[in-house]
């Protein structure tokens, strides 16, 4: 892969792990990244004190100014990027994608990219039934029970055309040939 578009939603769960992996890939390869954040993705990056880091580590980045963004969707539709990765993806974003709602930067980019040939990889945070452990911005461990509706939407997402669901952030290494 030469170019990856990476979309970040408002999930705190798995954001640090995903960020560390993407930064590692950026350092170890010559892959060109274009990063874009939903409004809530920007908020979460600030909560988790990662805002300065992302601007430093990924200088080609954009924030949500509305759902229509030709500077992202157009190049993805015509194959300028080798892949679109949405990681991590909130239950809200996953539900919107599953039901065809494209009213945010991230959901619209997925909808438009799906019309082309660029492969889409999404890491939903709510895909395991039962309880999961995550961490607050202060590092405090939290236990969350996944809602059945959110897990079912992640399963539906996996059935969609041109979308591959990632099970964990480390799966991104396999996409770029670093295992």
């Amino acid at each position: 892969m030469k170019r990856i578009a990476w979309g970040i939603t408002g999930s705190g769960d798995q954001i640090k792990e995903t960020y560390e992996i993407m930064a590692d890939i950026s350092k170890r390869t010559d892959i060109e990244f274009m990063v874009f954040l939903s409004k809530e993705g920007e908020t979460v990056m600030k909560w988790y004190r990662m805002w300065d880091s992302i601007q430093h580590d990924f200088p080609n980045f954009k924030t949500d100014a509305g759902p229509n963004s030709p500077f992202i969707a157009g190049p993805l539709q015509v194959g300028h990027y080798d892949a679109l990765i949405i990681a991590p993806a909130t239950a809200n974003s996953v539900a919107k994608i599953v039901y065809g709602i494209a009213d945010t930067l991230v959901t619209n980019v997925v909808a438009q990219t799906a019309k082309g040939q660029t492969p889409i990889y999404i890491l939903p945070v709510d895909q395991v039934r039962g309880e999961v452990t995550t961490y607050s911005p202060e590092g405090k461990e939290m236990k969350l029970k996944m809602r059945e509706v959110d897990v079912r939407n992640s399963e539906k997402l996996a059935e969609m055309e041109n979308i591959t669901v990632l099970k964990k952030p480390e799966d991104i290494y396999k996409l770029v040939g670093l295992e």
Side-chain angles (χ1 to χ4, degrees):
M1 287 191 186
K2 294 180 182 178
R3 293 184 194 95
I4 293 176
W6 173 28
I8 301 171
T9 70
S11 173
D13 186 21
Q14 300 184 45
I15 187 60
K16 284 190 174 188
E17 300 90 333
T18 301
Y19 184 85
E20 289 169 4
I21 287 167
M22 296 302 259
D24 183 46
I25 291 169
S26 178
K27 288 175 186 155
R28 292 172 56 193
T29 70
D30 61 353
I31 294 172
E32 175 189 323
F33 284 89
M34 191 276 299
V35 180
F36 61 100
L37 297 88
S38 69
K39 288 178 185 174
E40 295 308 316
E42 180 178 342
T43 299
V44 166
M45 294 301 283
K46 289 176 181 176
W47 282 346
Y48 280 79
R49 296 172 192 85
M50 299 167 68
W51 185 244
D52 291 339
S53 296
I54 196 166
Q55 292 179 72
H56 176 267
D57 294 338
F58 297 95
N60 184 13
F61 100 28
K62 305 180 183 346
T63 55
D64 192 342
N68 274 337
S69 186
F71 62 82
I72 299 173
L76 279 158
Q77 282 179 326
V78 299
H80 180 74
Y81 291 94
D82 298 302
L84 168 61
I85 298 173
I86 307 297
T90 62
N92 187 50
S93 293
V94 169
K96 287 180 177 189
I97 293 165
V98 166
Y99 290 98
I101 300 169
D103 66 347
T104 69
L105 177 61
V106 171
T107 58
N108 192 40
V109 166
V110 171
Q112 297 307 312
T113 302
K115 295 177 182 180
Q117 300 300 314
T118 303
I120 303 166
Y121 301 92
I122 301 177
L123 174 66
V125 293
D126 298 336
Q127 56 181 309
V128 177
R129 285 177 173 77
E131 198 172 80
V132 298
T133 301
T134 189
Y135 299 89
S136 72
E138 297 79 29
K140 180 183 172 193
E141 184 176 290
M142 301 183 312
K143 301 276 186 196
L144 302 176
K145 183 183 177 294
M146 296 299 100
R147 299 183 322 158
E148 182 62 24
V149 65
D150 298 329
V151 174
R152 281 197 313 269
N153 282 337
S154 291
E155 292 168 349
K156 289 176 185 175
L157 183 69
E159 296 170 3
M160 293 182 72
E161 186 177 353
N162 199 30
I163 292 178
T164 300
V165 169
L166 303 173
K167 297 295 182 189
K168 57 190 182 302
E170 293 80 10
D171 291 346
I172 299 168
Y173 281 124
K174 293 176 193 166
L175 297 178
V176 300
L178 297 174
E179 294 190 50

